[in-house]
Structures are given as structure tokens and as C-alpha cells.
Amino acid sequence: MKIELDENKVYINNGSFKREIHPFWLRERVDGEEFLDKGTQQRLFDPTTLNSKISINTANINDKFLEIDFNDGVKSKLDIDKLALEFSNEDTVIRTIPKIKWNSTLENIKNFEYQDGFFDSKEMYNLLVSFYKYGFVVIKNIPTEDNFIVKFANSIGSVRRTNFGEYFDVKSKPDPNDLAYTSLELSPHTDNPYRNPVPCIQLLHCIVSEVTGGLSTLVDGFTVTEDLKKENPDFYKILSEVKVRFKFIDKDVVLEDWSELIKLDDNKNFKQVRFSPRLDYVPILDKEKLDLYYKARKKLSEMYNSEKYRIEFKLAPKDLMMMDNYRLLHGRTSYEVKEGNRFLQGCYIDYDSTEGKLRHLKRKFNI
Ligand SMILES: [Fe+2]
């Protein structure tokens, strides 16, 4: 990618195409002291109030800088490397971490070990990269006192509070408002599909585990989606087109949101799965369409519940699992309350936390 000049015009040339850069685009980026706050990198002027007929009087390339005199009297010296970072419209940090598909054969995934100074360390960077590759990560040796999970969440970003509170205790209790608070098996599901927006990431911290059952289960919704797309394109299509209603009701709140079970992004690539067959309401559609929809949902459920895709493992006290609630499904095997206690704490954070931390650590370590 090169910057080239032709008379008073500035061009970007990537070898296969050359196109002119709009003078206004460059004028918005002037970064002298009177135009840009050095600390925050925020503009000290409002570009929407500038004369829209901005043009370039003279332009020169001087080593790594593009020197421009604009027709409104402003002179600027723009760092070419900094400009080049903007030529990609894609997120160049998160999107460039490839998602690794996995199923029940997944093994030897690295666990991380909590220690002093962890949150601003290179190991934290490695942890976040691993999280984006696999959709989950397990960190060992996390203190269990004083709801440390909240401190953990707030040291990456900010905890996402919900009507379940800042954090929630997962243990069987009388008169539960969700099956999570029983000792029953929980089949693979995503959390809170009825929220807008759905919490992005769930943290689960094991405090006590005295039972033989109660294993954590995970399924990669990305792998299942990609396999379904290949094996049953009609099912994939209808599940990514029809929005269903998800609903949660208790005595204080009625939460509702509509979404496809498989949500695609603007480029028709995987974005998010929602699956919680206790909470979804399929809309009335033509009978033939519903016929296909129900077949497709059944197939998807069979895949999510199949041993082929599921990994199972036991969280030990002090283990904290961080999982992508847009990509993975999670569940647990049943356990016997008579055997002893099983106590986990959970909370949510959103992608701004992990993304912000990852970009910060990448900058800090110059990676
Ligand atoms: Fe859950």
C-alpha cells in the first residue's frame, strides 16, 4: 500500500488499484496541536462545520510524512503509517484472529494460571487471543473470596449487570426462577436469548465442587453452524432467516427479543447463535414453511446435543471459565445434592471489555 501524488491530488495504490483520496478525508485527519488532543487523540474541531469545498493547494511526501497545504489555510503533516492503518475497513485486531472450529476431539487446549499483575500482562494478551480462537478459556487459581469474579470482570472491562444482579450464584435452591438453580442436567443452550442486547461473554467461577456429577459441557455453535451449512443448506437457510421470539418472565420483569437461531453478519458470515428451547416461540408461518422450520430446528438440536460436538470437563474450585455466549453453547450434567455442595458464581461482560483490553495489550507490548 503506497501513497502517491499526482499534481495536487493524493492517491492510494495497493499494486492492483489506484484511487484518489478525498481531500476532505485528509483534512479531517490533520493532527497538529490545535486540531487534536494528544492524550485522547480526540479532535478539537468539528469537521461537520468545515467548508465542504476543501481542496489541496500543495502536497509533498517527505520521508514518512505527507505534507499538505489545504485551501482553507490549514497546513498539516500526516504520518503515512498512521493513515495506512485506516485503509482497511475491517477490524484489524479482533477479525484477524481466526476462529478455530472444534468438536469433541478437542484436546490439549491451554489453561491459564492467574497470578499477580495478570490483567496487564502478556499472558492476558495470549489468553484473549485463545478466547477469540476457541470461544472459551479456563483460568486456574482465581481467588474465591469476596465475589472475586466481579473484580476479575472489572479488571478486563466492566461487568454487565442484569436483573439477576451484578453476579449470580449458581447452586440448587428452593423455588428457583430458572432451571440453572436446580441440580438437573442442563442441555446445551446460550444464555439470555431474550435480552436486547444478549450478554456477549459469560464468566463462571467454581467456588465449591463436592459432587461427582455437575460436569461443565460446551459445544461450538460456530462448528455446528458451518457443518449444517455444508450438510443441510435448506435447514441452514431457514434457521438463519426466520426470527423467533424469546421470552423470560418472572414477578418483576418481562423480557422479550426476536432473533434468528443462526444470526449472520452483513457479509452472510457467522455472527451469533441463540438456542434455548425452553424459551423460544416460533412465529406463525405458512404450514409448508413451518414444516421445514421444525425439521431444521430438530436437526440443529440433535447436532447441539450430539456427543460428536460436546466436550465435558469438571471445573475445580478456583477455576474460572470465560465463554463466548454468541458462539458457544454451554450446559452441565446433573448432580446429586446428597453428595455435597456445588457452588459456582457467574457474571457477564460484553465484547467491548475483551476487545478493548486486547487492543490495549497489543499496543502496550507492540505486538
Ligand atoms: Fe446458562
Side-chain angles (χ1 to χ4, degrees):
M1 200 79 82
K2 263 172 46 184
I3 296 272
E4 292 176 357
L5 302 177
D6 190 352
E7 296 184 354
N8 289 336
K9 291 181 174 157
V10 182
Y11 292 85
I12 167 178
N13 188 340
N14 75 350
S16 57
F17 70 84
K18 175 175 166 179
R19 66 174 187 228
E20 189 187 352
I21 303 177
H22 198 297
F24 202 98
W25 191 93
L26 294 161
R27 175 64 180 80
E28 280 191 313
R29 282 158 180 74
V30 298
D31 61 358
E33 257 172 39
E34 58 194 293
F35 301 110
L36 194 74
D37 180 71
K38 288 290 167 216
T40 61
Q41 293 284 300
Q42 292 179 13
R43 275 190 204 112
L44 297 169
F45 66 99
D46 176 354
T48 64
T49 62
L50 295 181
N51 180 349
S52 55
K53 295 203 172 59
I54 290 284
S55 62
I56 294 172
N57 286 344
T58 61
N60 290 296
I61 291 174
N62 192 349
D63 194 16
K64 291 195 154 221
F65 293 91
L66 173 62
E67 296 172 345
I68 303 179
D69 287 359
F70 291 97
N71 65 334
D72 61 355
V74 169
K75 296 178 193 308
S76 75
K77 195 173 169 185
L78 298 167
D79 184 329
I80 290 175
D81 288 342
K82 207 170 139 192
L83 289 180
L85 289 175
E86 287 204 63
F87 293 151
S88 165
N89 290 328
E90 292 271 301
D91 181 308
T92 49
V93 177
I94 312 300
R95 288 235 176 196
T96 49
I97 303 172
K99 282 193 189 78
I100 296 175
K101 283 171 63 177
W102 56 264
N103 59 23
S104 61
T105 61
L106 178 70
E107 52 189 22
N108 296 331
I109 188 159
K110 184 185 167 173
N111 286 334
F112 292 82
E113 187 88 15
Y114 177 78
Q115 48 205 287
D116 285 348
F118 189 63
F119 297 108
D120 238 24
S121 67
K122 216 165 191 170
E123 194 67 345
M124 185 75 204
Y125 174 82
N126 294 333
L127 179 157
L128 291 169
V129 170
S130 189
F131 169 78
Y132 279 100
K133 279 183 182 166
Y134 296 100
F136 76 101
V137 71
V138 174
I139 309 119
K140 304 195 88 67
N141 199 31
I142 307 261
T144 51
E145 298 79 33
D146 303 327
N147 311 319
F148 193 86
I149 188 171
V150 176
K151 186 166 182 221
F152 186 91
N154 285 331
S155 296
I156 297 179
S158 301
V159 81
R160 159 85 185 271
R161 195 186 177 91
T162 70
N163 60 309
F164 295 130
E166 196 175 31
Y167 68 94
F168 42 90
D169 291 334
V170 187
K171 51 180 155 188
S172 59
K173 58 186 179 191
D175 195 21
N177 68 348
D178 194 284
L179 284 185
Y181 307 127
T182 67
S183 62
L184 299 171
E185 177 198 341
L186 288 180
S187 55
H189 64 279
T190 61
D191 265 17
N192 295 198
Y194 42 76
R195 255 181 238 289
N196 178 19
V198 173
C200 306
I201 297 162
Q202 181 176 186
L203 309 181
L204 264 185
H205 189 196
C206 179
I207 312 294
V208 181
S209 176
E210 299 168 343
V211 294
T212 45
L215 273 69
S216 296
T217 61
L218 290 177
V219 172
D220 185 11
F222 172 60
T223 303
V224 170
T225 299
E226 294 294 298
D227 285 2
L228 183 73
K229 183 179 177 179
K230 219 178 331 156
E231 293 159 16
N232 295 89
D234 290 350
F235 289 174
Y236 168 82
K237 186 169 184 293
I238 197 163
L239 292 172
S240 60
E241 284 176 356
V242 172
K243 284 187 162 76
V244 302
R245 184 164 54 114
F246 292 98
K247 198 167 177 173
F248 173 90
I249 306 167
D250 77 1
K251 63 182 180 27
D252 299 317
V253 74
V254 179
L255 296 165
E256 196 172 300
D257 196 41
W258 291 79
S259 174
E260 307 83 353
L261 296 193
I262 298 170
K263 191 167 182 62
L264 306 179
D265 67 14
D266 294 342
N267 300 318
K268 299 278 174 211
N269 292 320
F270 176 92
K271 182 171 186 187
Q272 179 185 4
V273 289
R274 298 194 207 196
F275 193 72
S276 194
R278 293 178 272 133
L279 304 163
D280 63 334
Y281 297 81
V282 179
I284 291 228
L285 304 168
D286 290 346
K287 190 161 173 283
E288 294 71 28
K289 201 167 177 187
L290 271 186
D291 217 37
L292 178 63
Y293 187 86
Y294 284 129
K295 280 184 191 142
R297 189 180 65 171
K298 188 174 177 56
K299 176 68 187 172
L300 184 70
S301 176
E302 284 166 3
M303 291 170 85
Y304 284 154
N305 284 285
S306 135
E307 281 182 13
K308 178 182 168 189
Y309 292 104
R310 183 174 64 234
I311 56 168
E312 285 185 358
F313 53 93
K314 184 119 181 182
L315 287 176
K318 294 181 153 190
D319 287 358
L320 187 147
M321 174 167 65
M322 182 165 117
M323 59 194 159
D324 188 339
N325 189 45
Y326 282 29
R327 171 175 169 183
L328 301 195
L329 295 90
H330 64 279
R332 65 149 188 255
T333 63
S334 63
Y335 63 95
E336 275 294 338
V337 182
K338 280 183 293 192
E339 284 183 338
N341 292 315
R342 180 182 186 271
F343 175 25
L344 281 74
Q345 290 187 312
C347 74
Y348 302 110
I349 55 174
D350 287 328
Y351 288 137
D352 58 345
S353 293
T354 48
E355 290 177 4
K357 190 72 167 179
L358 186 60
R359 288 194 198 97
H360 158 67
L361 293 172
K362 189 176 164 74
R363 174 183 63 183
K364 178 178 173 181
F365 296 112
N366 211 3
I367 298 168

